Amino acid sequence: MTAALDVPGATLHCRDLLALREVALSGRQSWEPCQTMLVADFRPSMLRGLIRAFRSVAAAEALVLVGWRVAEAGGQVGLLAIGSGAPVLVAPAAGAGAMPEVISELVRAHDLAAANAMAGCLDDPPLDRSLVSLDRLTTDGELVIASGFETPGAALSRRLGMLGHTHVLRLIRITDLSFTGEMQDDHPAPDLAGASAISLDACLPPDAMARVLRSDWSQQG
């Protein structure tokens, strides 16, 4: 991690994400013991934030909350983290070591994304192309994608639509409020039949996110 970005809200730490287990399980929200692939968008446009945290950090926190609930229900959890470089992929697994491995690779992917940004890689690859790795998934289950949905690419809706035919598709749109309460350059999540989408603002702390992230979340504007 570049020292210039090693500040609260801009950096992921394993200890913080491991500690979110208690937050995830503190409520009465349950999750089905399914196979869940967590998809974290760490492209350059996500590496910014105005109040509490970078959007990339908020995306990671939201996904980890979901992951802990799935793991504790006996399900399998995997990871795809995308950025301006090569993707980081963790195959779905169950058991005591599943979430620690996902978290470790999530932190590593975020460090790589930050290093690439500091090196001058500031252009987003199109999101549709960044999700190509998901085409290799051979089993059904859930896909939970946390992104700002900037630079979607011409084929994003088609790609997500195809994935939605074989998986339960859940989209988390990470937004960023300014101090005036106005949205800053936020893009809507794709409107797909059969997909569930919610918006979470990066200013929300994890305990507030946990109250929104329900296994039965429904389409919201």
Side-chain angles (χ1 to χ4, degrees), residues 52-163:
R52 183 190 70 88
F54 278 9
R55 295 196 298 171
S56 55
V57 170
E61 291 168 340
L63 292 173
V64 167
L65 289 168
V66 172
W68 276 123
R69 288 174 177 169
V70 172
E72 291 297 318
Q76 296 181 316
V77 185
L79 171 70
L80 172 66
I82 59 174
S84 58
V88 172
L89 187 65
V90 177
M99 278 304 293
E101 181 181 3
V102 164
I103 286 171
S104 176
E105 290 301 284
L106 197 62
V107 170
R108 184 173 74 87
H110 195 267
D111 285 352
L112 290 172
N116 286 338
M118 294 298 292
C121 298
L122 301 177
D123 293 329
D124 275 5
L127 185 55
D128 57 353
R129 298 179 190 174
S130 298
L131 297 178
V132 166
S133 297
L134 294 176
D135 293 345
R136 299 199 296 267
L137 294 178
T138 58
T139 57
D140 297 339
E142 289 186 338
L143 294 178
V144 184
I145 303 175
S147 173
F149 294 99
E150 294 190 22
T151 318
L156 179 61
S157 291
R158 183 169 71 251
R159 182 173 299 281
L160 291 179
M162 293 174 62
L163 290 168

Side-chain angles (χ1 to χ4, degrees), residues 30 34 98 168 175 183 187 194 198:
S30 61
C34 58
V168 175
T175 61
M183 293 293 184
H187 295 250
I198 59 172

